[in-house]
């Protein structure tokens, strides 16, 4: 039981990170139809900001917000420079563009920083553990869950209670109609990228809090998982992205915990296999954002 | 075989030869005169060409990108490597191999076939769930496939030596084997593109909903193309395994995926020629950049090693194409397609009989019925227990103010959306929950309010695709091509047959959409605002055409339009919807004098003053 509870903590912590990443992807996808491969590079960038801030002697409670701000600005800039020329193009065109941009950014990290992992100094409290009676759990995991929940609630409030948030939700539902209502497209899109940058950076800080290092490829795997999570939840649905992220985290952790040793080398493949099984039953994902008439 | 279909086959073959001949000539030249290094480069180019042709067979025709094809290449490579590995090497390198495999040492042909069959079966199995997802979700699923197969190749250490290099694979691929497979792949892929299945798939790429509405089983077409393309990719993998002699799972991952995708899109994803030229451009780019990457000697000055330059070059190539020419450098036309067709057209000459043969002049018994159709959209009642019937040979008008549920009713009848309750029956068969392509095949054609043509396909192909999709239904058109030309002639579009549909003017697009719907030989045709945007002359012509159509073929027509003059003159019976409810039904005179109708159209107050509904919108 204690083992199960401990694993559940891990599942929540990993699932929370996936949920943040998937939500960041979904915010952009629902508005632009762009599957943003470069999301992983944004995550990696957050890691490098933490490294440089530490070199400059900034404490963690300052370097983390700094990383978030830098990544938000970079995400907006990325849209302005790389993605605006293909706005409104076909999904394949946008996807290839973001794929090429992602690889270029990763190569830039390798060339200008280093191919080797850089250590990110973490404050002591992050590496401690909390004793919860029958089992112990790392503070970083607890914080990860708490931060993910707080960010998701805050985002929900933003989307539901503010005019800009309302415009975002309307745009996610039908961007063309929203534009006809007089909402400025550039403002909505810039906000979407800023939000996705925020979510990528928060996820990166939480990710690094459990690993304390960053390398040029850091963002690749978690963001690929987040892609899977958005599909699992229902591509284009914000709620689906969060649910998909949590579910994927759970599948991954529980399989790792309970698979027989012989099957462990196939852990990743089996995880994705389970996802595919879910999608066989629900081709539109958990929250089927199936749109009529192929809109 | 004679006539247009033979002509099309000849055009396909000539088009393929235009690519095959230079490929073979170059192979002879390389084999005779080039250095061993250059020969290897050309062989590798041929192997890559096979891979990109395979990928294009799916992605080019379906419009769905795949990040998963490198997985098929990897599986093909490992399968053939295991089957051909010399017994002695096998015993030491793969000691835990099952006895059945441990004792095998096949030659290349047997291993080639076995590997392809294996990957085809695997491709079909993974394709079943992936193709059901459709669109962007399917693309992500192909990415998942790449990850899964990579994980399996590393995890299955007994078969693959895990992440370690797989060594000692017999080097059986030379320039000639690669050429043979590449030529075969070219012919197959080119043939598939022009086949009935390929053309239907391309139609679905342009507009999935419209393809279903003309009876195309999009899911099945995608699955066939996916499996075929996986098999061709596997062929490239087999060649690669026996070309390299040694490889590890990391060979079959993101780097090669980037290369393959670049090859696919640089030339133009939708054509075989595009893939062909893309492979050439990318191979040359890689060859140049690889040399620069490892440091070159420029006038005695050694450039530093530039890590990742090749990859960066490919990325820049992708971005240039995406920003400047998203359709690819060689655009959308297949090499030689236009002039081969033109040449064959002049030589063969296909005179088209001006008089069209009526398909079913006598009115067949039967009825299209919608009973008690109710549909809610997020709490809004779009349709409330609406009944509607349409007999063959009858023209029924469906009118109502904007938002009254007319299009929703047509969408429900044509199977595009499921009603919350109610039943749709065609000649007694309950089709309520049939997918839209089956409803189409059951005899219901339709057009769309916001014209949905296959924009990049030719005018002729738009109609012919529909005629092809109708094969296998009861109403079999003898020759799809002849049928399509006949319909184009009827709607005055024959002169425009070779133009892309998107180049037509508005009225012609509306007429083309009707012609396309008729290619199915439907017994019932649902027209959603056919006269929208037409001037009075055009709409008068349309009225005449539709009336003549009914008289000749005995088809049943359901016409939605806001042009009251057209509706009142054309229809035998008119159904009026308001806020999702049927408020009146009857002859033109009956509904025109019906108080409920007048009220719905012009409001309660003016209705009391004795106004009548306008008989025409705008000037006429």
């Amino acid at each position: 039981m204690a083992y199960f509870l401990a694993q559940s903590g891990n599942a929540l912590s990993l699932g929370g990170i996936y949920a943040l990443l998937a939500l960041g992807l979904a915010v952009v996808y629902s508005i632009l139809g762009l599957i943003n491969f470069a999301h992983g590079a944004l995550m990696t960038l957050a890691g490098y900001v933490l490294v440089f801030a530490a070199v400059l002697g900034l404490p963690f409670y300052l370097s983390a917000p700094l990383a978030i701000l830098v990544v938000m600005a970079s995400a907006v800039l990325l849209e302005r420079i790389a993605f605006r020329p293909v706005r409104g193009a076909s999904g394949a065109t946008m996807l290839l563009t973001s794929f090429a941009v992602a690889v270029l950014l990763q190569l830039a990290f390798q060339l200008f920083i280093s191919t080797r992992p850089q250590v990110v100094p973490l404050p002591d409290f992050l590496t401690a553990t909390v004793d919860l009676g029958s089992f112990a759990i790392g503070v970083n995991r607890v914080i990860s869950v708490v931060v993910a929940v707080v960010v998701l609630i805050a985002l929900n409030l933003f989307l539901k209670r503010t005019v800009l948030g309302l415009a975002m939700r309307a745009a996610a539902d039908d961007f063309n109609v929203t534009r006809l209502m007089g909402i400025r497209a550039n403002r909505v899109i810039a906000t979407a990228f800023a939000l996705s940058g925020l979510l990528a950076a928060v996820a990166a800080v939480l990710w690094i809090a459990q690993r304390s290092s960053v390398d040029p490829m850091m963002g690749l795997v978690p963001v690929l998982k987040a892609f899977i999570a958005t599909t699992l939840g229902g591509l284009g649905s914000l709620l689906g992205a969060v649910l998909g992220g949590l579910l994927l985290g759970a599948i991954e952790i529980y399989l790792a915990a309970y698979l027989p040793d012989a099957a462990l080398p196939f852990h990743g493949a089996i995880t994705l296999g389970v996802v595919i099984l879910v999608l066989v039953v629900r081709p539109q994902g958990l929250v089927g954002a199936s749109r009529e008439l192929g809109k | 075989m004679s006539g247009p279909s033979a002509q099309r086959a000849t055009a396909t073959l000539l088009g393929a030869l235009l690519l095959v001949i230079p490929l073979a000539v170059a192979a002879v030249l390389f084999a005779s005169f080039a250095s061993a290094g250059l020969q290897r480069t050309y062989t590798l180019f041929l192997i890559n060409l096979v891979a990109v042709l395979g990928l294009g067979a799916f992605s080019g025709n379906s419009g769905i990108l795949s990040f998963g094809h490198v997985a098929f290449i990897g599986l093909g490579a490992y399968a053939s490597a295991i089957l051909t590995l010399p017994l002695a090497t096998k015993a030491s390198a793969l000691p835990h191999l099952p006895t059945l495999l441990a004792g095998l040492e096949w030659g290349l042909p047997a291993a080639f076939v076995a590997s392809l069959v294996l990957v085809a079966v695997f491709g079909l199995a993974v394709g079943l769930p992936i193709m059901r997802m459709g669109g962007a979700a399917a693309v992500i699923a192909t990415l998942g496939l790449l990850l899964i197969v990579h994980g399996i190749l590393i995890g299955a250490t007994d078969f693959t030596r895990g992440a370690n290099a797989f060594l000692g694979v017999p080097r059986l691929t030379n320039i000639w084997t690669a050429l043979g497979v590449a030529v075969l792949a070219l012919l197959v892929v080119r043939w598939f593109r022009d086949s009935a299945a390929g053309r239907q798939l391309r139609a679905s790429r342009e507009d999935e909903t419209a393809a279903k509405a003309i009876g195309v089983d999009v899911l099945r077409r995608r699955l066939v193309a996916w499996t075929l393309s996986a098999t061709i990719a596997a062929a490239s993998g087999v060649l690669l395994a026996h070309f390299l002699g040694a490889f590890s799972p990391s060979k079959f991952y993101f780097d090669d995926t980037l290369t393959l995708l670049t090859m696919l899109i640089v030339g133009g994803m939708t054509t075989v020629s595009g893939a062909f030229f893309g492979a050439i451009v990318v191979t040359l780019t890689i060859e140049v950049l690889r040399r620069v990457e490892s440091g070159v000697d420029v006038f005695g000055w050694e450039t530093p090693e530039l890590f990742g330059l090749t990859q960066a070059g490919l990325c820049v190539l992708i971005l240039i194409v995406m920003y400047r020419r998203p359709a690819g450098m060689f655009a959308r036309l297949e090499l030689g397609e236009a002039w081969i067709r033109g040449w064959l057209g002049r030589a063969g000459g296909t005179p088209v009989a001006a008089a069209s043969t009526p398909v079913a002049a006598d009115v067949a018994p039967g009825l299209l019925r919608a009973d008690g159709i109710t549909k809610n959209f997020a709490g809004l009642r779009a349709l409330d227990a609406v009944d509607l019937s349409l007999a063959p040979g009858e023209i029924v008008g469906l009118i109502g103010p904007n938002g009254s549920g007319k299009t929703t009713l047509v969408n429900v009848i044509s199977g595009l959306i499921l009603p919350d309750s109610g039943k749709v029956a065609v000649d007694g068969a309950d089709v309520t929950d049939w997918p839209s392509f089956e409803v189409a095949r059951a005899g219901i054609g339709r057009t769309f309010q916001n014209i949905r043509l296959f924009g990049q396909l030719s005018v002729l192909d738009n109609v012919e695709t529909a005629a092809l999709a109708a094969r296998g239904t009861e109403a079999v058109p003898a020759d799809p091509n002849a049928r399509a030309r006949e319909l184009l002639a009827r709607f005055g579009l024959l002169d425009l047959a070779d133009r892309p549909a998107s180049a037509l003017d508005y009225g012609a697009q509306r007429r083309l959409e009707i012609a396309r719907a008729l290619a199915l030989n439907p017994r019932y045709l649902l027209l959603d605002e056919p006269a929208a945007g037409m001037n009075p002359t055009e709409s008068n012509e349309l009225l005449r055409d539709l009336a003549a159509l009914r008289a000749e073929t005995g088809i049943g027509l359901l016409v939605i339009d806001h042009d009251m003059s057209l509706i009142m003159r054309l229809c035998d019976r008119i159904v009026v919807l308001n806020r999702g409810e049927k408020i009146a039904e009857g002859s033109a005179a009956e509904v025109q004098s019906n108080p409920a109708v007048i009220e719905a159209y012009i409001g309660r107050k003016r209705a009391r003053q004795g106004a009548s509904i306008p008989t025409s919108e705008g000037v006429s």
Side-chain angles (χ1 to χ4, degrees), chain A residues 29 35 37 81-83 85-86 92-97 99-101 103-104 107 110-111 115 220 224 227-228 230-231 235 265-266 268-269 272-273 276 279-281 283-284 292-295, chain B residues 63 65 67 129 132-133 136-137 139-140 143-144 147-148 151-152 155-156 209 253-254 257-258 261 265 269 306-308 311-312 315-316 318-319 322-323 326 375 377 411 416-417 446 448 452:
Chain A
Y29 178 81
I35 299 175
F37 265 98
I81 298 168
F83 298 139
V86 291
T93 300
M94 289 192 282
L95 180 67
L96 286 164
T97 304
F99 184 57
V101 167
V103 178
L104 278 177
L107 290 171
Q110 290 180 347
L111 191 66
T115 50
L220 179 68
L224 288 178
F227 279 157
I228 312 276
T230 53
T231 314
L235 203 56
F266 302 104
L272 293 177
I276 288 183
L279 289 172
V280 167
V281 183
Q284 304 297 335
E292 266 129 15
L293 279 167
K295 252 191 258 175
Chain B
L65 279 181
F67 285 80
R132 279 184 67 196
M133 292 176 211
V139 178
I140 293 178
L143 196 62
L147 302 181
I148 290 179
I152 291 175
T209 303
Y253 212 35
F254 279 101
T257 301
L258 173 69
L261 283 172
I265 57 106
M269 166 165 131
L306 285 169
F307 178 81
Q311 275 182 301
C315 290
V316 171
I318 290 183
L319 289 180
M322 290 297 108
Y323 290 159
K375 178 72 192 175
F377 288 122
N411 284 345
L416 217 52
I417 53 182
R446 70 164 294 177
F448 294 88
R452 286 170 165 263

Side-chain angles (χ1 to χ4, degrees), chain B residues 263-516:
Chain B
M263 286 182 177
L264 179 72
I265 57 106
V266 162
M269 166 165 131
T270 58
T271 58
V272 176
S273 330
F276 184 87
F277 288 112
I280 295 176
V281 170
V282 170
T283 304
L284 291 176
T285 309
I286 289 177
E287 284 306 310
V288 171
L289 291 180
R290 190 170 284 156
R291 286 181 172 79
V292 178
E293 188 173 10
S294 52
V296 285
D297 186 73
V298 184
F299 305 119
W301 176 67
E302 190 81 9
T303 62
E305 272 194 42
L306 285 169
F307 178 81
L309 185 68
T310 312
Q311 275 182 301
L314 294 181
C315 290
V316 171
L317 205 55
I318 290 183
L319 289 180
I320 292 172
V321 172
M322 290 297 108
Y323 290 159
R324 297 285 165 212
R325 303 198 64 163
M329 288 181 187
F330 300 92
R332 303 176 192 274
L333 261 188
E334 198 67 89
L335 187 74
E337 196 171 44
W339 67 257
I340 291 174
R341 287 274 190 84
W343 176 64
L344 285 174
R346 269 194 299 281
T350 42
V352 173
S356 62
T357 35
V359 178
D362 56 327
V363 173
L367 200 63
L368 169 60
R369 284 178 64 102
D371 286 326
I373 303 294
T374 298
K375 178 72 192 175
N376 296 304
F377 288 122
L380 181 84
R381 178 146 292 196
L383 290 174
D384 192 357
V386 175
D387 298 327
L388 185 113
S389 72
L390 177 65
E394 189 183 23
I395 303 186
V396 173
L398 180 60
I399 64 170
N402 285 325
S404 58
K406 304 182 296 289
T407 297
T408 306
L409 183 58
V410 167
N411 284 345
V412 167
I413 294 174
S414 60
L416 217 52
I417 53 182
L418 265 180
D420 296 331
S421 64
K423 201 179 115 179
V424 180
V426 183
D427 302 343
D430 185 350
V431 303
T432 316
D433 51 2
W434 288 16
S436 57
F437 77 90
E438 282 184 7
V439 175
R441 289 179 178 190
I444 299 184
R446 70 164 294 177
T447 65
F448 294 88
Q449 191 178 346
N450 49 338
I451 310 176
R452 286 170 165 263
L453 291 169
F454 309 128
Q456 298 307 320
L457 301 193
S458 73
V459 168
L460 179 65
D461 272 350
N462 265 270
V463 184
E464 207 180 322
T465 309
L468 284 166
R471 286 195 309 192
T473 63
E474 293 150 47
V476 190
D479 178 348
N481 184 281
R483 173 78 179 137
R485 285 176 177 275
E486 177 194 311
L487 283 164
L488 289 183
R490 152 164 233 138
F491 286 91
L493 294 163
L494 195 55
D495 294 341
L496 304 166
D498 290 330
R499 303 272 295 280
S502 56
L504 299 188
D505 66 50
Y506 200 72
Q509 291 199 358
R510 288 253 176 238
R511 278 179 289 144
L512 176 56
E513 216 189 9
I514 297 173
R516 185 181 66 184

Side-chain angles (χ1 to χ4, degrees), chain B residues 446-591:
Chain B
R446 70 164 294 177
T447 65
F448 294 88
Q449 191 178 346
N450 49 338
I451 310 176
R452 286 170 165 263
L453 291 169
F454 309 128
Q456 298 307 320
L457 301 193
S458 73
V459 168
L460 179 65
D461 272 350
N462 265 270
V463 184
E464 207 180 322
T465 309
L468 284 166
R471 286 195 309 192
T473 63
E474 293 150 47
V476 190
D479 178 348
N481 184 281
R483 173 78 179 137
R485 285 176 177 275
E486 177 194 311
L487 283 164
L488 289 183
R490 152 164 233 138
F491 286 91
L493 294 163
L494 195 55
D495 294 341
L496 304 166
D498 290 330
R499 303 272 295 280
S502 56
L504 299 188
D505 66 50
Y506 200 72
Q509 291 199 358
R510 288 253 176 238
R511 278 179 289 144
L512 176 56
E513 216 189 9
I514 297 173
R516 185 181 66 184
L518 286 172
L520 270 167
N521 280 348
R523 271 162 297 153
Y524 309 95
L525 180 58
L526 319 178
L527 300 169
D528 196 349
E529 302 200 17
M534 286 187 174
N535 62 36
T537 323
E538 284 176 317
S539 81
N540 277 333
E541 275 174 27
L542 181 75
L543 184 134
R544 213 178 49 230
D545 287 346
L546 293 179
L549 184 72
R550 182 254 301 260
E552 281 173 37
T553 65
I555 194 171
L557 295 174
L558 180 73
V559 185
I560 298 181
D561 216 288
H562 288 291
D563 182 342
M564 287 306 156
S565 157
L566 176 93
I567 293 283
M568 298 299 165
R569 284 184 289 157
L570 180 65
C571 301
D572 308 322
R573 185 158 57 90
I574 294 168
V575 173
V576 189
L577 289 185
N578 188 34
R579 298 176 189 198
E581 287 179 53
K582 182 157 91 176
I583 56 167
E585 180 167 5
S587 68
E590 281 164 12
V591 298

